[in-house]
Amino acid sequence: MTEPAAAPMTAYPKPRTCPHSVDPEYARLREERPITKVSMLGGNTAWLVTRHDLVRQVLGDTRLSSDRRHPGFPRFTVNQGNILQDLPPSMIGMDPPQHTEARRAVLGEFTVRRIEALRPRIQQIVDDRIDEMLAGPRPAELVAALSLPVPSLVICELLGVPYADHDFFQQRSSRLVHRSTPFDERLRAVRELRSYLDELVAAKERELPDDLLGRQARKQREAGEVDHPGLVSAAFLLLIAGHETTANMISLGVLALLENPEPRAEILADPAKTLPAVEELLRYFSIVEGATSRVATEDVEIGGVLVRAGEGVMALASAANRDPAAFDRPDELDINRKARHHVAFGFGPHQCLGQNLARMELQIVFDTLFRRVPDLRLAVPAAEVPVKSEANVFGLYELPVTW
């Protein structure tokens, strides 16, 4: 086993300036030093893992912890401090057996059968938003008109969160995923969101409505194990993850399909190709960075390198999903490839709980939008579309379109 010196790249993560490519430095590291130490933007160091097989190894190894309160956990943002130190962890920051129990409690809400039952309502939401967009002025701004409202409405209805409050939680979640948000603003956003959800969950515990949070409160009461802080933490994670990631994938997916007319035509001609296209778009963009962070709880060998207990590990999905050893011509968008082994949803015990819901939302949006607006096109040159280069969930700030 070896312990290579620090790589020339001194800070991670790097700004992501192009929707269609990852930084060439990551590709170089994947070929030459697939596990190497880097300095994190938040001030500590971590091992950066860029090869597809090694990323899957990291994400499946229970000796690598997801506990974000650990001092060695990779820190993504400047002056991050210990915002999470005194808060109950959400599912994304738990390890077994706590994680196993928390995930099992809500797993039934996200089965294929349960999500399929939501299809008519999601279709109605998408149609309503497209109706409103078509009735409005041209050009339209697709992020505000479609990308954000669809997943926000869906997750609000699923959880039982009033959609009227969407501006409140969207503004605060946006601050949390942006790396340059000052510490005091980040802390305030966390406290305000948790305070809001604390009151909401308390109401669910009193009224026990038939929504996800109400059903969880009922199950806890029946089991005699009421965990109010834990339910608030679950609501916090599901609310933010449920709209932030899918919204950005809608925007990026529409951009890619507008720039690539052939796959768009294939989807229009054969809707059976939409789900494979969704998988390929997920692989191609790989928008989430921090969900695959870990910290070693004991010495672990990864790719012939010794990672010592207490050291952070970053499994870089965007580099893994462009690995030529795992995907032929990985930098090309090919909706006919078999891309289901991508790690855009993670891998192992923490693989994204809401992936079935995300797939369905993307499928319905792409099918419906291009069927109803077949002449949809960009209203500005693609190079002028503003990207979220400093966000931990990559995406677009705006997507001006016309028809």
Side-chain angles (χ1 to χ4, degrees):
M1 290 186 289
T2 60
E3 295 187 47
M9 183 176 63
T10 58
Y12 176 84
K14 302 181 74 175
R16 186 169 172 179
T17 57
C18 175
H20 302 293
S21 63
V22 297
D23 195 286
E25 179 74 359
Y26 298 149
R28 184 188 68 79
L29 289 174
R30 186 180 57 229
E31 298 306 313
E32 299 176 6
R33 309 162 67 99
I35 173 167
T36 191
K37 237 175 198 178
V38 294
S39 297
M40 298 297 297
L41 186 62
N44 60 352
T45 60
W47 293 98
L48 185 66
V49 181
T50 49
R51 212 171 70 196
H52 185 269
D53 62 327
L54 297 182
V55 164
R56 285 167 65 103
Q57 177 190 335
V58 166
L59 299 180
D61 196 324
T62 56
R63 296 171 296 176
L64 297 167
S65 169
S66 295
D67 188 354
R68 281 147 172 75
R69 299 168 298 178
H70 192 288
F73 198 87
R75 295 199 297 270
F76 271 70
T77 53
V78 177
N79 298 324
Q80 185 173 353
N82 291 317
I83 290 175
L84 303 177
Q85 193 65 43
D86 299 322
L87 297 175
S90 64
M91 198 183 312
I92 198 172
M94 294 178 182
D95 296 321
Q98 186 183 20
H99 171 260
T100 308
E101 295 168 358
R103 187 177 176 97
R104 185 184 298 122
V106 296
L107 192 60
E109 302 283 352
F110 295 96
T111 62
V112 172
R113 182 177 180 181
R114 171 80 73 163
I115 297 305
E116 188 61 34
L118 299 175
R119 182 179 291 274
R121 177 57 184 145
I122 297 173
Q123 182 67 62
Q124 180 184 353
I125 288 171
V126 172
D127 278 322
D128 289 347
R129 298 309 304 185
I130 294 175
D131 285 343
E132 188 170 330
M133 183 182 78
L134 293 176
R138 284 177 283 181
E141 201 288 283
L142 195 86
V143 173
L146 187 69
S147 303
L148 261 175
V150 168
S152 296
L153 278 161
V154 171
I155 198 65
C156 281
E157 291 193 11
L158 183 64
L159 294 177
V161 174
Y163 181 70
D165 298 335
H166 69 280
D167 282 341
F168 173 85
F169 64 76
Q170 284 172 359
Q171 290 171 6
R172 282 149 187 82
S173 65
S174 178
R175 290 181 215 161
L176 291 176
V177 300
H178 204 283
R179 294 173 197 140
S180 63
T181 301
F183 175 80
D184 57 341
E185 288 186 28
R186 190 177 299 275
L187 181 60
R188 184 163 59 250
V190 169
R191 287 175 172 170
E192 289 173 351
L193 268 172
R194 288 192 66 92
S195 177
Y196 168 81
L197 291 168
D198 180 77
E199 294 181 10
L200 181 71
V201 168
K204 303 292 183 185
E205 291 168 334
R206 291 192 302 271
E207 301 162 11
L208 303 178
D210 189 23
D211 52 45
L212 188 150
L213 295 177
R215 289 190 290 270
Q216 291 300 304
R218 183 182 295 108
K219 285 170 61 176
Q220 288 187 0
R221 181 180 296 183
E222 291 171 351
E225 299 176 354
V226 175
D227 180 10
H228 177 81
L231 194 51
V232 171
S233 292
F236 185 94
L237 173 64
L238 293 171
L239 181 62
I240 294 177
H243 80 273
E244 191 72 40
T245 51
T246 306
N248 285 302
M249 272 306 306
I250 290 172
S251 301
L252 289 165
V254 170
L255 174 65
L257 292 170
L258 289 178
E259 290 190 277
N260 293 272
E262 290 184 9
R264 187 171 76 247
E266 286 189 62
I267 290 172
L268 277 170
D270 183 5
K273 290 195 172 183
T274 307
L275 273 178
V278 166
E279 296 301 331
E280 172 66 351
L281 289 164
L282 289 162
R283 179 202 70 84
Y284 185 76
F285 288 114
S286 301
I287 63 173
V288 178
E289 302 269 8
T292 50
S293 311
R294 300 289 186 268
V295 61
T297 57
E298 59 183 272
D299 290 357
V300 181
E301 180 184 348
I302 303 170
V305 173
L306 179 64
V307 176
R308 298 194 179 277
E311 293 183 328
V313 180
M314 268 301 313
L316 187 55
S318 59
N321 282 336
R322 297 293 185 98
D323 188 345
F327 303 96
D328 186 39
R329 299 170 289 104
D331 293 325
E332 296 180 20
L333 182 68
D334 178 5
I335 69 168
N336 294 301
R337 82 165 77 239
K338 307 296 184 182
R340 285 300 292 262
H341 59 298
H342 66 75
V343 289
F345 285 126
F347 183 74
H350 280 273
Q351 192 170 32
C352 177
L353 185 67
Q355 60 184 291
N356 293 326
L357 179 60
R359 286 187 175 101
M360 177 178 288
E361 290 180 64
L362 293 169
Q363 177 192 23
I364 292 173
V365 166
F366 298 149
D367 274 341
T368 307
L369 179 63
F370 293 113
R371 172 177 49 81
R372 293 193 55 190
V373 198
D375 59 341
L376 189 75
R377 62 186 185 275
L378 292 177
V380 299
E384 295 180 12
V385 174
V387 300
K388 297 180 178 180
S389 58
E390 298 284 355
N392 289 334
V393 180
F394 183 64
L396 306 176
Y397 286 113
E398 296 178 354
L399 186 60
V401 296
T402 191
W403 53 95

